């Protein structure tokens, strides 16, 4: 499932089926949706997924090393900020 489809389901709970980027309710009727809102939500969802993957792969190991005293906590915090800068959230949507 792509981010646009996921965003449609997230924003429009009456939608039970999609075909490409067309949405349908339980009776098979087309559901009109705000394309701009869906694209903004999809961009947010993509940034959230990218951040989550980067945190898991890059930041979390530093966090545990900082907890063990193996690296300075500032290194972990800097990595978190670098990930946030690399995958910014869209300004139109609040996470």
């Amino acid at each position: 499932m792509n981010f646009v489809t996921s965003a449609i389901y997230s924003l429009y709970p009456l939608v039970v089926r999609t075909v490409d980027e067309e949405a349908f309710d339980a009776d098979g009727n087309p559901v009109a949706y705000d394309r701009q809102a869906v694209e903004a939500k999809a961009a947010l969802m993509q940034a959230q997924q990218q951040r989550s993957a980067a945190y898991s792969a890059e930041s979390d190991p530093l966090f545990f090393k900082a907890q063990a005293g193996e690296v300075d906590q500032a290194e972990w915090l800097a990595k978190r900020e670098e990930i946030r800068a690399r995958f910014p959230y869209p300004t139109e949507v609040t996470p």
Side-chain angles (χ1 to χ4, degrees):
M1 186 179 311
N2 66 40
F3 292 109
V4 171
T5 302
S6 296
I8 291 170
Y9 286 121
S10 175
L11 293 172
Y12 297 91
L14 294 177
V15 172
V16 298
R17 182 173 67 92
T18 59
V19 177
D20 296 321
E21 293 182 10
E22 294 183 53
F24 302 91
D25 65 14
D27 296 324
N29 300 314
V31 176
Y33 60 88
D34 180 343
R35 179 73 184 179
Q36 188 174 7
V38 167
E39 288 176 356
K41 179 69 172 179
L44 173 62
M45 294 169 85
Q46 182 177 16
Q48 289 171 327
Q49 184 185 47
Q50 290 170 323
R51 275 192 188 185
S52 179
Y55 287 146
S56 293
E58 303 169 38
S59 175
D60 290 356
L62 289 175
F63 170 78
F64 292 114
K65 286 182 179 184
Q67 294 297 307
E70 297 171 13
V71 299
D72 187 33
Q73 185 174 7
E75 185 177 347
W76 164 61
L77 293 172
K79 178 53 75 174
R80 279 186 30 200
E81 291 306 313
E82 185 265 322
I83 291 169
R84 288 177 181 167
R86 192 173 359 139
F87 304 112
Y89 288 150
T91 55
E92 302 83 21
V93 180
T94 306

